[in-house]
Amino acid sequence: TSGTYTVTQTVSGCSSTSSPITVTVNPLPPVTASASPTSICSGDNSTLTASGATTYTWDNGLGAGQSHTVTPTSTTTYTVTGTDANGCTNTSSVAITVNPTPTVTASASPMIICVGESATLTGGGAMTYTWDNALGAGQTHTVSPTSTTTYTVTGTDANGCTGLDQVTITVNPMPSVIASGNNLLCEGENLELYASPNGMNSYSWTGPGGFSSSEQSPVINNVGTTNSGTYTVTVSAPECSLPITQTVDVTVNPTPIAIAGTDTSILIGQSVMLSASGGGSYQWIPADYLDCSTCPNPVVTPEKPGTMIYCVEVTNTYGCLDTACVKIEIDCGELFIPNTFSPNNDGNNDFLCIYGHECLSEVNFLIFNRWGELVYRFNAPDDCWDGTFKGKELNTATFAYTLQATTLSGEIIKKRGNITLLK
């Protein structure tokens, strides 16, 4: 305590008192240490400030100074020693609490999408979240970027400490999927479907009548009208999260039922009418000996013996066709030599010909007058006599003939008889 002090010394009953001494006791300086703030996040700063003295010295290697800015990596207590004008010292301490930075995570599902698709962003590791790219607050957001984009989320924990993380969503162009096929068919044809491009993860076709296929290019054989309708292909692309669908419309038209008539037999030189039905237009093949190759009922007049097969292509209004065939047997019949002809240029019976000559390969036909003189020799099976001799027209008379002929089958035919020429 401050005051005046004396000392009295006593020896053998004798005492003596000293002169007074004045003692002054100075108070300790009211040193205080403070921090602003006292709670920080890892990596942040705090300012230490001392007061109540004249000079100050801090521990933790800070040294002299009334204030210091510190960045502790863990909770730390700082002590300051303050000295006043009297040289008196005092100490004070302050603790700075260091809170760890939250481990914030940013994720996207999926991370690879195609243009027009969406992905979900999710933040983790904190209490509240704020996203860039104008998304704002919220732990999750659904986004549809049109190009590859990086998103940054800032997460804040209960201590107000923040952490960052980023996630990139890769945006690929949408594959150009095309579904195609032979859209217009006739019954009985094959439907060929195709989806492009190649290299997709999967192809799934569905269509009328419960049709389904996982092939890229399925084929439906021998289609009927029930196969008409819309066929849909669903394509799973390697880099797209959602499937892509395309359609193709298919129409199967009915096919006509061609009828060519019944098989028949005729004699050479005769005619027969063919009869077709079942469509709108007709085409006969071959066109040989027909008076019309595009009529439903053409007349055929064969000029040679044998077998002729005529097929008709019947086409309906849809352009679908069917084919049917008919067989015509052409027989030679009996070889016939007329016994009368009238070469008077009236257009009727003016020539003497061999009927059935189409079936002959060789002929030796001789005509004689009544004196046995040869008046005409046939040069070929289809030759005819006009009733002249040595360039002159003959009058009414009777002539004899001999005929030896070889048929196409090799048969030898011999005939004799008379022929009357009438004027």
Side-chain angles (χ1 to χ4, degrees):
T1 302
S2 296
T4 299
Y5 292 87
T6 62
V7 61
T8 298
Q9 182 180 25
T10 299
V11 178
S12 300
C14 298
S15 61
S16 177
T17 300
S18 67
S19 298
I21 296 174
T22 300
V23 177
T24 300
V25 180
N26 296 307
L28 294 177
V31 176
T32 58
S34 63
S36 179
T38 57
S39 180
I40 64 172
C41 297
S42 179
D44 290 345
N45 299 327
S46 179
T47 299
L48 296 170
T49 303
S51 63
T54 303
T55 62
Y56 306 91
T57 301
W58 296 83
D59 63 357
N60 285 294
L62 296 178
Q66 184 175 9
S67 67
H68 288 277
T69 299
V70 293
T71 309
T73 58
S74 61
T75 297
T76 303
T77 298
Y78 295 89
T79 300
V80 64
T81 300
T83 304
D84 62 11
N86 296 312
C88 296
T89 63
N90 202 357
T91 61
S92 181
S93 297
V94 65
I96 298 177
T97 302
V98 180
N99 298 302
T101 299
T103 303
V104 176
T105 60
S107 62
S109 179
M111 295 183 65
I112 300 177
I113 64 173
C114 290
V115 173
E117 297 180 339
S118 299
T120 299
L121 297 171
T122 302
M127 290 186 65
T128 61
Y129 305 88
T130 301
W131 296 83
D132 64 354
N133 286 290
L135 296 179
Q139 185 174 9
T140 62
H141 287 279
T142 299
V143 293
S144 299
T146 57
S147 61
T148 298
T149 303
T150 298
Y151 295 89
T152 301
V153 63
T154 300
T156 304
D157 63 12
N159 297 314
C161 297
T162 60
L164 302 176
D165 195 22
Q166 293 180 326
V167 64
T168 298
I169 298 177
T170 301
V171 180
N172 295 309
M174 182 72 73
S176 179
V177 174
I178 299 175
S180 61
N182 38 344
N183 304 69
L184 198 60
L185 300 97
C186 297
E187 285 181 299
E189 295 180 341
N190 298 334
L191 170 59
E192 298 177 358
L193 299 170
Y194 177 71
S196 65
N198 299 325
M200 297 293 101
N201 284 347
S202 65
Y203 305 85
S204 178
W205 286 92
T206 58
F211 168 77
S212 64
S213 174
S214 59
E215 298 180 10
Q216 181 181 2
S217 305
V219 177
I220 305 176
N221 296 317
N222 194 27
V223 296
T225 55
T226 56
N227 295 111
S228 295
T230 299
Y231 290 80
T232 301
V233 62
T234 302
V235 177
S236 173
E239 299 172 341
C240 298
S241 61
L242 299 176
I244 306 164
T245 60
Q246 290 291 340
T247 61
V248 57
D249 293 324
V250 174
T251 300
V252 181
N253 292 311
T255 297
I257 300 176
I259 299 175
T262 57
D263 297 344
T264 188
S265 297
I266 61 172
L267 296 176
I268 190 73
Q270 291 182 337
S271 298
V272 65
M273 178 180 290
L274 303 180
S275 179
S277 61
S281 63
Y282 303 85
Q283 180 64 57
W284 288 91
I285 302 173
D288 301 346
Y289 313 126
L290 298 179
D291 65 345
C292 175
S293 63
T294 58
C295 302
N297 305 113
V299 174
V300 56
T301 307
E303 297 178 359
K304 294 181 180 180
T307 301
M308 292 292 295
I309 297 178
Y310 290 94
C311 295
V312 62
E313 291 183 350
V314 179
T315 306
N316 61 16
T317 56
Y318 301 108
C320 300
L321 61 86
D322 189 25
T323 302
C325 299
V326 63
K327 181 171 66 175
I328 308 296
E329 295 285 353
I330 303 99
D331 296 327
C332 290
E334 184 178 355
L335 195 68
F336 174 66
I337 306 296
N339 58 10
T340 303
F341 77 113
S342 56
N344 54 9
N345 296 319
D346 63 355
N348 294 316
N349 202 25
D350 287 331
F351 297 93
L352 176 67
C353 303
I354 303 174
Y355 289 90
H357 64 80
E358 296 87 353
C359 298
L360 302 179
S361 62
E362 296 180 0
V363 65
N364 185 19
F365 188 15
L366 305 176
I367 299 176
F368 304 91
N369 60 21
R370 60 180 178 172
W371 295 285
E373 185 178 12
L374 180 64
V375 298
Y376 193 76
R377 178 194 295 271
F378 279 61
N379 297 310
D382 60 352
D383 196 5
C384 293
W385 180 37
D386 61 0
T388 62
F389 178 57
K390 295 182 179 182
K392 294 183 179 181
E393 294 182 0
L394 298 179
N395 294 320
T396 298
T398 298
F399 300 87
Y401 72 87
T402 62
L403 170 65
Q404 180 173 316
T406 303
T407 66
L408 295 174
S409 61
E411 179 185 359
I412 303 298
I413 299 176
K414 295 182 179 181
K415 285 181 174 291
R416 290 176 177 271
N418 295 322
I419 299 170
T420 299
L421 185 155
L422 297 176
K423 282 289 190 173

